[in-house]
Amino acid sequence: MESRTQSDSIEDMFESTLNLEQTHFKEGYDEGYNYGLVAGKEEARQVGLKTGFEFGEELGFYRGCVDIWYSAIQINPSGFSARVQKYIKQMEELIEKFPMFNPEDERVQEIMDSLRLKFRLIRAGLGVKLEYDGYPKPTEVEF
């Protein structure tokens, strides 16, 4: 009878050791998971602020260009071809369509890409070397 009790005691000790390991594993996992949620939210917030600022800065640059070009057109309408004037108007419409108060709108990147394209077309049509320095140029982008 004593050997049975001693055997049960040893089994209980091993079982409690296994349970202890499992308990610590679960506690560590839960603690890491909760920390990850908090850290992930803060990191996402920081990335969102940075990205939002960059989009706002670029959008402001394009708005300024459009305003200057419209002023120049009023002074000298013949200095801008009909095609360039059409691109400027399209660029203004894209700026106005930009979802400023809905950053989760799926069109954000599409509109920015369209604005960049229109800007390059206008720049080429005017024959100027105007650039927005806030985002990487195609040669600087790493794949």
Side-chain angles (χ1 to χ4, degrees), residues 23-39:
T23 301
H24 284 289
F25 177 81
K26 178 154 178 25
E27 286 175 5
Y29 175 85
D30 290 344
E31 187 177 316
Y33 183 83
N34 290 331
Y35 175 79
L37 282 177
V38 171

Side-chain angles (χ1 to χ4, degrees), residues 4-67:
R4 182 80 173 136
T5 309
Q6 188 179 12
S7 175
D8 288 342
S9 169
I10 291 173
E11 285 180 26
D12 289 343
M13 188 170 64
F14 283 124
E15 190 172 319
S16 67
T17 303
L18 290 174
N19 286 340
L20 183 63
E21 183 181 351
Q22 185 64 29
T23 301
H24 284 289
F25 177 81
K26 178 154 178 25
E27 286 175 5
Y29 175 85
D30 290 344
E31 187 177 316
Y33 183 83
N34 290 331
Y35 175 79
L37 282 177
V38 171
K41 285 180 182 177
E42 181 57 29
E43 185 177 334
R45 183 179 165 283
Q46 293 300 321
V47 169
L49 283 171
K50 181 179 182 289
T51 303
F53 178 80
E54 289 170 354
F55 275 142
E57 183 180 47
E58 186 174 358
L59 201 59
F61 174 80
Y62 294 140
R63 175 82 259 172
C65 289
V66 166
D67 289 347

Side-chain angles (χ1 to χ4, degrees), residues 104-120:
E104 295 179 13
D105 191 313
E106 296 172 1
R107 299 175 304 155
V108 167
Q109 191 61 52
E110 178 185 326
I111 291 173
M112 287 307 291
D113 290 344
S114 295
L115 278 168
R116 290 173 184 146
L117 176 63
K118 293 294 180 203
F119 180 73
R120 285 193 303 269

